[in-house]
Amino acid sequence: MANKLLLVKSDALPDVFSKVVLAKELLESGEAKNATEAARAVGISRSAFYKYRECVFAYTERIYGKIITLHAVLEDKPGVLSQYIAELYRSGVNILTVNQDIPSGGRAPVSVSLRFGDDSFDVTDLIGRLKHVDGVKKVTHILG
């Protein structure tokens, strides 16, 4: 399970993780001049800060609440994925990841994570438009 991301409530974790996040916020805001000062301010060692600083991040619902993942099954023929991506582009979303598995039985599973900027964005409408792309067999909203 190395390098997998997990979303865990902070109260289920040791306090050091929350304190690392607080120390990072102090550095970003300029309230702390350096890592030593930030670590001291939140009550952790500088080594604990450096050990976890690249592994612990604050979940910002404001940002991540607008990210969704769609799963599609596409025909294994030239241009289908390109047309699918083009429709996403026309909808105005920001494509974050595209993962396509090796085709099997003439079908290729594809997962796309995307961000949209407007709370009124209609995911159901987008899925409907994607289903009408030639070669798209199935589209489902799986996350977000």
Side-chain angles (χ1 to χ4, degrees):
M1 195 161 109
N3 290 327
K4 285 195 177 189
L5 297 177
L6 303 172
L7 184 61
V8 181
K9 287 185 175 184
S10 62
D11 60 358
L13 298 170
D15 288 341
V16 67
F17 297 119
S18 294
K19 289 179 179 185
V20 167
V21 170
L22 289 173
K24 288 169 60 172
E25 289 171 358
L26 289 174
L27 283 168
E28 289 173 15
S29 71
E31 293 178 56
K33 296 176 191 167
N34 55 44
T36 301
E37 191 176 303
R40 187 178 299 130
V42 298
I44 59 173
S45 67
R46 191 173 63 113
S47 63
F49 174 77
Y50 281 115
K51 181 177 182 178
Y52 297 117
R53 72 178 176 160
E54 296 300 322
C55 302
V56 181
F57 305 94
Y59 174 79
T60 307
E61 192 170 332
R62 177 175 42 91
I63 294 172
Y64 293 106
K66 297 178 183 178
I67 294 176
I68 63 170
T69 300
L70 301 177
H71 178 74
V73 177
L74 310 179
E75 286 183 24
D76 180 22
K77 65 180 189 180
V80 176
L81 179 59
S82 185
Q83 291 174 38
Y84 185 82
I85 299 296
E87 185 60 40
L88 290 170
Y89 170 77
R90 284 189 290 276
S91 73
V93 300
N94 181 20
I95 299 169
L96 304 174
T97 65
V98 177
N99 296 300
Q100 181 176 8
D101 289 338
I102 295 174
S104 175
R107 309 289 169 127
V110 175
S111 293
V112 178
S113 294
L114 48 97
R115 180 182 298 136
F116 50 93
D118 187 347
D119 286 334
S120 65
F121 185 83
D122 189 348
V123 175
T124 306
D125 178 60
L126 173 62
I127 291 172
R129 286 185 280 125
L130 291 169
K131 286 179 177 179
H132 285 96
V133 172
D134 186 40
V136 174
K137 296 300 176 189
K138 179 181 177 182
V139 180
T140 55
H141 177 196
I142 59 170
L143 191 62

